[in-house]
Amino acid sequence: MGKKDKFIIQKTDRLCGTVEVSGSKNAAIPILAATLLAEGKSTLNNVPGLTDITVMCEILNCLGARVSFDGANNVTVDAQNLDHTVAPYDLTSKMRGSFLVMGPLLARMKKVRLSLPGGCPIGSRPVDLHLKGFDALGAEITKGFGFVEVTCKKLVGNKIYLDFPSVGATENILMAAVAAEGVTTIENAAAEPEIADLACFLTSMGADISGAGTDSITVHGVKTFQPVEYSIMPDRIEAGSFMIASAITNGDITINGVIPEHIKPLTAKLCEIGAEIDVNGNSLRIRGNGHYTATDVKTLPFPGFPTDMQAQMMSLLSVSDGTGIVTETIFENRFMHAQELCRMGANIKVEGHCAVIEGTPELTGAKVVASDLRAGAALVLAGLNAKGTTEVLDIYHIDRGYENLDGKLRSLGADIQRVSY
């Protein structure tokens, strides 16, 4: 059995300093997929160094693209000679984002076959909405045991209404629709900033898109796409995680490279419970006061409170005064971190889609397991506050979405070490 890594964390009284936000994982993955539309070499800048990014690049390689890294968060994808329309199961099973190659492959190659994707075990995230969109554009869909095959003679624009504003479905349908004949409208589309970033990238390649970042997107199909150079937007979830790191340690952190509009829901909640936040352009300073008043949080599609910040917020509410209620409306199995926080002394009761958190003065270090990406971040944040030693196991989940998290925290004064076991 190979070695695995864990974090060993000691209580940190106060994180202070400045930290730079990496590029957005959730923007980079669909944009990497979208490079397949162009016959040529595209360069992406500000790509975070994450295991999910590595997997996506390996998938692109298996499809016939040539992907190279320059070691400084820049990735070049030469999609001149795509020669495969089937991605291997051992890669697609590792991450859900792999399904996003389906839209651009369908648009360019008229055929694609993928195994059903994997990723974090945070609930059922069916791909039915993706397939419904492809069907509306004129594709034929075949479902087998653990795989989906989609083919078309040509794609034709249509009106598509999503039953739920799914981010992945919006992105996948958008990447197919840009090459469809005529006009496509996507109603009840997801409005997350990452979709606007994808649309901006597609537009730079020659696509004709309006309304991205709202719930109604209109696409006029085009026939050709040019390879381009593009810089990925900053990661709003990483920024939010460092905001909570400052709050939970009564710290004083300046976070550079943020887009304040993207983190408004979290900023509002942190100010509501007692943190001090100053915004200056693309820089944000957050100071904790050590005494927070509990609040209620309900996750919603953007511009609501992000589900990807729910776990980290629960760590902070665990040491706030009073009772807070967290309602999860996006994923039905996203409270697995609650039982691990309870092992550290938190008082949390989960009832269906709600978690009731009674604040406690102090958490205590324990051995805990990261069940998924954001749960892992929540446990690291709790460990910074907890008396004694905290061990966080299965941190490969964290490496999927945070670039050098332990290094960045150490630069702010945290006592956190990565150890193989």
Side-chain angles (χ1 to χ4, degrees):
M1 185 174 177
K3 287 185 177 180
K4 295 193 290 186
D5 287 354
K6 63 182 178 181
F7 285 146
I8 297 179
I9 306 167
Q10 305 294 336
K11 179 178 174 64
T12 300
D13 289 329
R14 199 162 189 252
L15 292 181
C16 296
T18 302
V19 67
E20 300 285 335
V21 174
S22 297
S24 167
K25 179 196 95 151
N26 289 339
I29 287 175
I31 289 174
L32 279 166
T35 62
L36 298 177
L37 287 165
E39 295 185 23
K41 188 182 293 185
S42 293
T43 299
L44 303 180
N45 304 317
N46 200 35
V47 179
L50 306 169
T51 54
D52 270 12
I53 297 294
T54 302
V55 171
M56 192 61 165
C57 290
E58 289 174 357
I59 291 171
L60 299 187
N61 276 324
C62 288
L63 296 171
R66 289 183 295 173
V67 183
S68 59
F69 297 80
D70 74 353
N73 297 105
N74 302 319
V75 177
T76 299
V77 181
D78 186 347
Q80 181 72 41
N81 300 307
L82 294 188
D83 53 12
H84 285 77
T85 58
V86 180
Y89 171 76
D90 63 326
L91 292 175
T92 58
S93 63
K94 290 181 180 179
M95 58 173 284
R96 180 171 183 78
S98 62
F99 209 69
L100 292 172
V101 299
M102 187 162 272
L105 277 179
L106 186 62
R108 180 170 167 186
M109 308 291 283
K110 304 297 185 282
K111 180 179 180 180
V112 56
R113 175 178 165 134
L114 290 181
S115 301
L116 292 174
C120 283
I122 55 177
S124 67
R125 299 193 282 182
V127 296
D128 293 358
L129 290 177
H130 303 237
L131 301 179
K132 175 184 175 182
F134 296 148
D135 176 69
L137 294 173
E140 293 185 8
I141 296 160
T142 303
K143 291 183 181 180
F145 292 103
F147 76 89
V148 175
E149 184 172 275
V150 184
T151 60
C152 68
K153 291 183 180 179
K154 66 177 182 179
L155 296 174
V156 180
N158 202 347
K159 292 183 178 180
I160 300 169
Y161 180 86
L162 297 180
D163 298 329
F164 177 82
S166 160
V167 173
T170 301
E171 292 168 339
N172 229 345
I173 295 166
L174 180 60
M175 287 187 283
V178 291
E181 290 183 6
V183 181
T184 300
T185 57
I186 308 172
E187 298 291 344
N188 199 31
E192 270 69 7
E194 294 79 9
I195 290 169
D197 207 36
L198 171 62
C200 190
F201 174 73
L202 291 169
T203 300
S204 71
M205 297 175 80
D208 185 347
I209 303 167
S210 59
T214 74
D215 63 0
S216 180
I217 301 175
T218 301
V219 184
H220 292 261
V222 300
K223 292 183 178 180
T224 59
F225 300 90
Q226 303 301 316
V228 295
E229 182 171 353
Y230 189 80
S231 186
I232 304 296
M233 63 173 263
D235 195 311
R236 62 192 173 102
I237 305 303
E238 184 192 10
S241 299
F242 279 109
M243 290 169 72
I244 290 185
S246 183
I248 205 167
T249 63
N250 191 28
D252 185 351
I253 297 177
T254 297
I255 306 169
N256 290 332
V258 300
I259 300 177
E261 288 290 318
H262 293 177
I263 51 177
K264 267 188 172 181
L266 176 62
T267 301
K269 281 295 175 185
L270 290 177
C271 288
E272 182 183 322
I273 69 173
E276 295 180 30
I277 299 176
D278 299 313
V279 177
N280 183 13
N282 290 332
S283 183
L284 178 150
R285 182 183 181 188
I286 174 166
R287 286 162 288 182
N289 66 14
H291 298 285
Y292 304 107
T293 303
T295 189
D296 296 341
V297 173
K298 183 177 183 178
T299 65
L300 290 167
F302 190 85
F305 192 92
T307 180
D308 278 354
M309 285 303 307
Q310 176 258 107
Q312 302 92 309
M313 191 69 185
M314 191 179 293
S315 293
L316 182 57
L317 292 175
S318 296
V319 292
S320 298
D321 295 334
T323 302
I325 299 175
V326 173
T327 304
E328 174 60 57
T329 73
I330 310 297
F331 297 122
E332 76 276 12
N333 195 25
R334 205 164 199 178
F335 284 144
M336 289 187 288
H337 49 278
Q339 63 185 13
E340 298 300 293
L341 288 172
C342 288
R343 289 167 57 83
M344 301 176 70
N347 187 352
I348 305 170
K349 291 182 173 62
V350 176
E351 298 177 5
H353 291 284
C354 293
V356 180
I357 305 104
E358 295 278 356
T360 185
E362 188 175 50
L363 299 175
T364 303
K367 183 179 288 189
V368 290
V369 178
S371 57
D372 61 73
L373 167 56
R374 306 307 175 185
L379 296 174
V380 169
L381 295 171
L384 296 172
N385 175 276
K387 181 181 179 181
T389 302
T390 300
E391 290 186 34
V392 182
L393 309 182
D394 288 357
I395 62 172
Y396 64 88
H397 284 298
I398 299 172
D399 292 336
R400 289 184 51 233
Y402 290 91
E403 182 177 38
N404 190 27
L405 178 62
D406 49 323
K408 289 183 177 182
L409 287 172
R410 276 195 299 275
S411 74
L412 297 169
D415 187 342
I416 176 172
Q417 303 297 325
R418 179 185 292 259
V419 177
S420 296
Y421 67 101

